[in-house]
Amino acid sequence: MSKPVQTRPKPKPVQTRPEPKSKPQPAREMPAPEYLPRWTANRRLDAGREHAQWQKTFDSAAQ
């Protein structure tokens, strides 16, 4: 009696990530640009000046 011929199991297809149907939309729109802080070079300079002025006032009040 002869053995049945053994064959290799069929390879399973490679599992890939499912393609997104559409790009995810943001939950809300971004706020209008005028609500966003504007840290420009000038604003930084002003903030630095304001802080220096505050520090000077604070130091003179402490003495």
Side-chain angles (χ1 to χ4, degrees):
M1 199 162 161
S2 64
K3 284 182 168 180
V5 179
Q6 193 171 11
T7 58
R8 297 174 100 185
K10 284 186 180 159
K12 291 179 180 166
V14 178
Q15 184 72 34
T16 58
R17 270 192 174 158
E19 286 294 313
K21 288 168 182 69
S22 65
K23 289 193 175 182
Q25 294 296 319
R28 294 184 274 119
E29 289 299 312
M30 283 292 288
E34 57 268 14
Y35 290 114
L36 298 173
R38 290 265 198 274
W39 279 109
T40 58
N42 284 344
R43 185 69 194 96
R44 281 181 199 283
L45 194 65
D46 292 345
R49 265 201 216 106
E50 285 165 24
H51 178 70
Q53 185 61 46
W54 179 90
Q55 191 70 59
K56 206 162 129 190
T57 309
F58 181 86
D59 290 343
S60 64
Q63 288 170 356

